[in-house]
Amino acid sequence: TAAAAELESKLAALDHAPLELRMTGSAIGYDRDGDGALDEIDDGSWTGAVSYDGATTPLGEGTFGGSRE
């Protein structure tokens, strides 16, 4: 049909370059009550970058932590 052909042409015109998100980090995990489940995350840090069509932009650095209530 005409609608399907129009949709197909619009989809074919889309950019096929992937958006890539790369991240790495570390943290320390604690099982405070000994039950085998993670209760706290401390000293977390991460860094990353996003790439699109050959261009890479750093995301910077960040820190994180958390605990179960």
Side-chain angles (χ1 to χ4, degrees):
T1 67
E6 182 179 351
L7 177 60
E8 186 174 328
S9 71
K10 291 192 183 291
L11 289 174
L14 292 176
D15 188 353
H16 297 293
L19 177 70
E20 298 178 27
L21 178 61
R22 294 186 180 140
M23 297 180 73
T24 186
S26 63
I28 299 171
Y30 298 98
D31 176 9
R32 296 287 187 200
D33 57 9
D35 68 353
L38 185 66
D39 296 310
E40 185 179 344
I41 297 174
D42 197 14
D43 293 326
S45 63
W46 64 269
T47 185
V50 64
S51 300
Y52 179 73
D53 200 23
T56 300
T57 301
L59 296 174
E61 300 177 358
T63 60
F64 63 94
S67 64
R68 178 191 306 255
E69 292 189 22

